[in-house]
Amino acid sequence: MRIGILGLGRIGAFHAETLSGLDAVESLVVADPFTDAAKAAADRFGAEVADSPEAVLAAGVDGLVVAAATDAHPSLILAGVEAGVPVFCEKPVARTMTEGVEVLKAVEGSAVPIQIGYNRRFDAGFVAAREAVRSGELGKLHTVRSTTLDPAPPPAAYIAASGGIFRDCSVHDFDIIRWVTGREVTEVYAVGGNRGADYIREAGDADTTGAILTLDDGTIAVVSNSRHNARGYDVRMELHGFQDSVAVGLDDKLPLRSVEPGVTFPSGPPHDFFMDRFTAAYRAELTAFTEVVAGTRPSPCTVADALEAGWIAEACTLSLHEHRPVTIEEVRGA
């Protein structure tokens, strides 16, 4: 099949590399406002270069991958749908929930599939954890812990436009908690602090946060996030049930150092970047998209799915600012 890619920044170029290695993909058509980025992708992967999104869609593509700036996501998703081309779009659906809801309304009833990029759904550990929950082998859950710690904060310009740590970073934890447990979040309480980069505080954001999520069956989920984890990129989940407990992310590249006498775990070099931690998951995610394009599977992460994680981020942001518990229905109805 022939796949179009809009946006050849860090993640777009990574997707181009991944797609070029998939057996189902015969050719790529790429476009980026920075022509040098598009040309570099063309030279590296044998892609065709188009000068606009419209030109990509007119080039006979079977599927469209949107890795452009967040502000462009709504218009590019809708352009793909209007052209009848299945769309894969990196999260978020839109910069604001209002815009995201507008996208959802615009595509409701359309037969054109849309897949939003939440790559943890394709990580082998998270897949196994979901199976453990769904099979009942853990028994009834009582506690979930989800962690995302970045090795260093992104640049000031990125922070200023990110929408805040809950919308930018924690939203991955929120999505995977919903996906693994199969439950919805009903209420949150969030706290945050600033003990690192001054520009994060100046942007009105926190660099380290904690959130307590109450799920609709009474399970408690604890989410920890930070922009500062000197040892590396740390993504983990624990699930504790009345019959058993399991963990995701406890491998020899775990960026954590044990001080127990005689303990050598973890023994490998720490994960230091999200592309390192989730290389296989990204490949599985885009392989799934080729199956969506081929019509052999439904979207594994719809616009509606992505917006549910977004509502949790909105509730946590409000809770942080107002120092109180916030229900999901409160922000959904705002």
Side-chain angles (χ1 to χ4, degrees):
M1 61 183 61
R2 187 168 166 84
I3 302 294
I5 304 177
L6 301 177
L8 276 302
R10 181 175 63 180
I11 193 66
F14 184 69
H15 286 337
E17 180 177 10
T18 301
L19 287 163
S20 68
L22 298 183
D23 291 341
V25 178
E26 297 175 0
S27 61
L28 300 176
V29 184
V30 302
D32 190 282
F34 298 98
T35 55
D36 287 349
K39 289 178 180 176
D43 292 342
R44 186 175 176 190
F45 308 116
E48 299 175 30
V49 176
D51 59 9
S52 67
E54 294 78 13
V56 170
L57 288 168
V61 295
D62 301 296
L64 182 69
V65 171
V66 176
T70 298
D71 285 341
H73 287 186
S75 63
L76 296 178
I77 290 171
L78 295 180
V81 170
E82 289 168 6
V85 176
V87 177
F88 173 93
C89 182
E90 278 298 336
K91 69 88 182 170
V93 174
R95 184 169 298 282
T96 69
M97 291 302 294
T98 298
E99 292 174 299
V101 170
E102 290 173 356
V103 171
L104 179 61
K105 290 178 179 177
V107 302
E108 280 180 333
S110 172
V112 180
I114 303 166
Q115 178 180 341
I116 305 301
Y118 276 102
N119 61 2
R120 294 184 194 182
R121 294 179 177 223
F122 300 89
D123 175 78
F126 285 112
V127 170
R130 185 176 193 258
E131 291 173 353
V133 172
R134 302 302 173 93
S135 71
E137 66 182 85
L138 304 185
K140 186 166 58 177
L141 290 179
H142 56 78
T143 305
V144 178
R145 296 188 178 94
S146 187
T147 299
T148 301
L149 308 177
D150 289 329
Y158 181 95
I159 290 291
S162 70
I165 190 170
F166 291 117
R167 298 183 182 106
D168 170 60
C169 175
S170 316
V171 72
H172 286 286
D173 296 276
F174 303 153
D175 177 74
I176 204 63
I177 287 170
R178 289 186 65 248
W179 188 76
V180 168
T181 66
R183 311 305 309 189
E184 299 295 343
V185 175
T186 59
E187 184 178 82
V188 310
Y189 182 72
V191 296
N194 293 90
R195 305 191 67 189
D198 288 340
Y199 62 80
I200 297 179
R201 180 188 301 104
E202 291 164 1
D205 197 10
D207 62 28
T208 300
T209 58
I212 304 294
L213 315 182
T214 302
L215 308 191
D216 59 8
D217 65 348
T219 300
I220 300 301
V222 182
V223 179
S224 299
N225 305 110
S226 182
R227 302 289 195 183
H228 301 278
N229 190 52
R231 195 162 183 83
Y233 181 65
D234 190 351
V235 172
R236 282 175 285 143
M237 173 178 274
E238 297 175 13
L239 296 123
H240 300 273
F242 285 93
Q243 294 182 22
D244 201 1
S245 298
V246 295
V248 178
L250 297 188
D251 61 20
D252 275 322
K253 298 187 76 175
L254 171 67
L256 196 64
R257 182 169 60 88
S258 175
V259 293
E260 292 296 327
V263 175
T264 59
F265 173 81
S267 61
H271 292 291
D272 62 1
F273 198 42
F274 70 91
M275 290 180 182
D276 161 45
R277 171 67 174 82
F278 289 116
T279 299
Y282 277 116
R283 183 179 178 85
E285 180 180 51
L286 290 176
T287 298
F289 179 59
T290 65
E291 295 167 355
V292 171
V293 172
T296 58
R297 71 177 293 174
S299 170
C301 186
T302 65
V303 171
D305 283 329
L307 292 186
E308 289 306 315
W311 289 123
I312 302 168
E314 292 299 302
C316 285
T317 301
L318 182 61
S319 176
L320 173 65
H321 291 158
E322 297 193 357
H323 307 287
R324 65 177 178 87
V326 175
T327 66
I328 302 304
E329 287 309 309
E330 177 182 347
V331 293
R332 195 192 301 273

